[in-house]
Amino acid sequence: MTLSPLHTLLFAASFALVSTVNGADFIKPTPWSSLVTNDIQRFLPSDEVRPLLAGEDEFISLYRQSMAPTQRGIVLIIPDWQDVPTNNAGINFLRKQLNDIGYATLAMTMPDIDWHPADMAMPEPTDNSETESTTQNNQQADSAPPAQTQQAPHFVSAKPNISEAILDDYKLKLIARFNALYNSAMDEGGNIIVLAQGASAGLLIEHYASFPNNELNAFISLGSYLPNSIRNQHLNATLSTISPPLLDIFYSEGNPDTLQSVNDRKRWVRRNAKYDYRQRELFGTPTEPEQHERLLKEVDGFLRRLL
């Protein structure tokens, strides 16, 4: 078949366009932490935003001063990993309301998680149905485009078991930022309290089990857990060995890994005689306004008896 000059020209142009698209360089998406920083700088009052430096890593913190006649201390607020210091799971409420009862607050933005699908450790199946479910999830992950498989782990499995390599890499970046936050809080004077959430709380509990130089007057944990089954099981014993007094808060409709650990935590606390440990259950979900008020009362009551 002989092509007309017009058809030949259209074919050549189409071939050139396809070659150009295939040869284009891959453009990485904007890091999640950069998007969070841009949003904070755009929407929050400039007098609350404090840039801090952890080595070569510059990050944003949010500072609010105490509005009570006498300042009782400063609360360092660390959200769950890949979450923001203005989240509606109690963190943003405490960040603002603690100012009215005598505490300055200093909240931290979180580092990026270096997701490597090859490092994602899948949970071992316990029966045939779980084996079939895991197989289907693996097939879906294999057929998904690369950009999707590198997203948050719950897109890969309903029961994620993150590898220790990912956790340890994130922990190094978390502790570096936390130390910068702590050093900034030292300028305030008075009591220093850490209020941490989720996986970030779990990793900081691990950190304080190694008895670092920076001392705390209290540690408040909101739904602490670790998204690795072995590390999460060890966390129950680890939290009973840290030196700061610990308020361990969990929600009745919160993270299943936390809910399955609460009884074991009390056993380890009795075993290691940690008498300054308190465990409190809040009913409902962390985003309910009624639970925010209850959360503030529990935190305030714990600190008033302690400090």
Side-chain angles (χ1 to χ4, degrees), residues 224-292:
S224 60
Y225 77 102
L226 289 173
N228 177 283
S229 58
I230 297 176
R231 291 274 282 270
N232 192 60
Q233 185 176 3
H234 290 325
L235 182 65
N236 302 330
T238 301
L239 61 77
S240 68
T241 65
I242 67 173
S243 55
L246 175 61
L247 174 61
D248 189 12
I249 296 175
F250 67 97
Y251 290 86
S252 60
E253 298 182 23
N255 189 297
D257 290 330
T258 304
L259 294 174
Q260 293 171 8
S261 301
V262 294
N263 291 330
D264 200 33
R265 292 180 181 186
K266 289 189 289 187
R267 291 176 62 246
W268 277 106
V269 164
R270 289 193 295 268
R271 168 66 176 78
N272 292 325
K274 183 171 178 56
Y275 299 115
D276 52 8
Y277 173 87
R278 297 293 181 270
Q279 187 181 95
R280 294 291 183 267
E281 178 180 5
L282 300 184
F283 301 98
T285 61
T287 57
E288 295 177 3
E290 296 84 357
Q291 300 310 317
H292 292 170

Side-chain angles (χ1 to χ4, degrees), residues 77 83 192 235 241 296:
I77 297 178
D83 210 340
I192 298 180
L235 182 65
T241 65
L296 178 63

Side-chain angles (χ1 to χ4, degrees), residues 59-133:
F59 66 98
I60 293 296
S61 65
L62 299 178
Y63 174 81
R64 287 174 62 94
Q65 63 180 343
S66 167
M67 299 304 293
T70 303
Q71 181 164 322
R72 298 164 60 189
I74 182 168
V75 179
L76 308 183
I77 297 178
I78 295 89
D80 199 355
W81 68 343
Q82 201 156 329
D83 210 340
V84 294
T86 55
N87 73 54
N88 193 34
I91 288 292
N92 197 47
F93 181 84
L94 291 176
R95 188 178 72 87
K96 297 178 179 179
Q97 296 302 315
L98 285 170
N99 305 145
D100 294 337
I101 59 174
Y103 291 98
T105 56
L106 187 60
M108 184 174 79
T109 55
M110 310 311 294
D112 291 310
I113 305 172
D114 190 9
W115 295 116
H116 292 296
D119 291 334
M120 299 286 285
M122 303 302 293
E124 295 182 1
T126 57
D127 53 36
N128 293 335
S129 61
E130 193 167 341
T131 303
E132 294 175 359
S133 175

Side-chain angles (χ1 to χ4, degrees), residues 147-169:
Q148 293 182 4
T149 58
Q150 295 181 17
Q151 302 245 358
H154 59 263
F155 292 129
V156 179
S157 171
K159 293 183 178 181
N161 199 28
I162 308 303
S163 74
E164 294 199 35
I166 291 179
L167 282 180
D168 289 339
D169 177 74

